Amino acid sequence: MIPFLDLRQINSPYIQELEEASLQVVRSGWYLLGESLTSFENAFSAYCEAEYCVGVANGLDAISLILKAFDFPPESEVILAANTYIATLLPVTALGLTPVLAEPDPATMLLNPELLENHITGKTRAIITTDLYGRSCEMAPILSIAEKHGIKVITDAAQAHGARYRGRRAGSMAHATAFSFYPTKNLGALGDAGAVVTSDRAVAERIRYLRNYGSLVRYQNEYQGVNSRLDEIQAAFLNIKLPYLDRDNARRKSIARRYLEEISLEEARLPPSDRIDDDVWHLFVIQYPYRDRLKQYLAEKGIQADIHYPTPIHRQNAYPNLSHLQLPVTEKLSREVLSLPLHPALTDDEVSRIIRVINLYKTAIGSQQSETSPGGRAANNLSHE
Ligand SMILES: *Cc1c(COP(=O)(O)O)cnc(C)c1O
């Protein structure tokens, strides 16, 4: 059985260092806002080639705190890609801002800059770009559109630690960038953790207050903050794993390269390969009209694939007020995307086996009955471009 991901396997190269670091924190008697956090913040901002990093409790809070720091007026509109993970949307609505869902480019599966201006109104205050699956969004046109309209660009880089776009790192381009160190991410803690990276001093400082009850000096509260701190033990783990991030991303890339070169499955659309060196391959996502059947077939052959994401955010029960939206590109993606196993601990033999098994899958068009997805919509031959 080749699991989609096995965290024990992923962390096994670091196990001794992680154990030593946890002992050190346990014995230090200092568990929050200490030296491990400061050293991680310094190391991660340098890694991202940005000025500041502020550790927070998780990726969701990172997005939320960025939005809070910008202090947009109520009912401001925030544009985001409709095919993102729900964590990009939740802070927008939680703060009473109005989400505007934009269709992604079907080839890159990322926010389509050409559609952006259609969504900009007098109330638009920000665009959130999600660097989905480990690839930076098309930042040059997005930043120039934002500048023209005087709006902020926020990046959700929870899946893109180390990704580059035209030489620049994720974290160095947007006004503020949110990272998650959820255990399955390219840089993963052993619990929850997140960070905001920015080169805007005022934003960094505001978030330093906000994450700690609006306070930098004990019992002096300058803002109505929250409790969202990245604790010392997770920071210590991240300090250990950060130096290996580039090596891990390089391993991901070499697996992605093999998938791109060797997978041959009629009617499947592979992820874009034009920026193979810059993308960090958090997930390897193919689009395939008979996705559910292929996933089942792989499972029968002992290969666990996964779906990111099976239900678009506007179709979630959590958002009945968005259910009227018609977003055909996003809806089609939700029916057709399939993530193949891809992580640094995957062996060459496993990669070979995954490729071999996929290449043996024959699409018997005609004998295919229409397939139903969790969204309840049928995918048939005609629905494929
Ligand atoms: C993981 C993830 C998040 C949320 O991160 P948490 O640390 O789990 O809160 C946000 N956005 C995207 C795109 C993610 O993949």
Side-chain angles (χ1 to χ4, degrees), residues 287-307:
Q287 297 172 49
Y288 191 58
Y290 318 106
R291 188 269 312 278
D292 291 341
R293 277 162 182 262
L294 176 60
K295 182 169 185 281
Q296 177 63 30
Y297 160 83
L298 291 173
E300 284 159 13
K301 301 288 179 191
I303 296 165
Q304 189 184 30
D306 206 345
I307 298 169

Side-chain angles (χ1 to χ4, degrees), residues 57-79:
N58 53 63
L60 174 78
D61 282 3
I63 300 166
S64 171
L65 289 167
I66 291 169
L67 290 169
K68 268 192 211 285
F70 283 128
D71 214 4
F72 299 125
E75 290 174 33
S76 293
E77 292 172 7
V78 177
I79 300 170

Side-chain angles (χ1 to χ4, degrees), residues 107 109 259-261 263-264 268-273 284-287:
M109 302 176 276
Y259 282 159
L260 287 166
E261 286 171 358
I263 288 176
S264 105
R269 182 179 221 168
L270 299 186
S273 57
F284 191 92
V285 177
I286 68 168
Q287 297 172 49

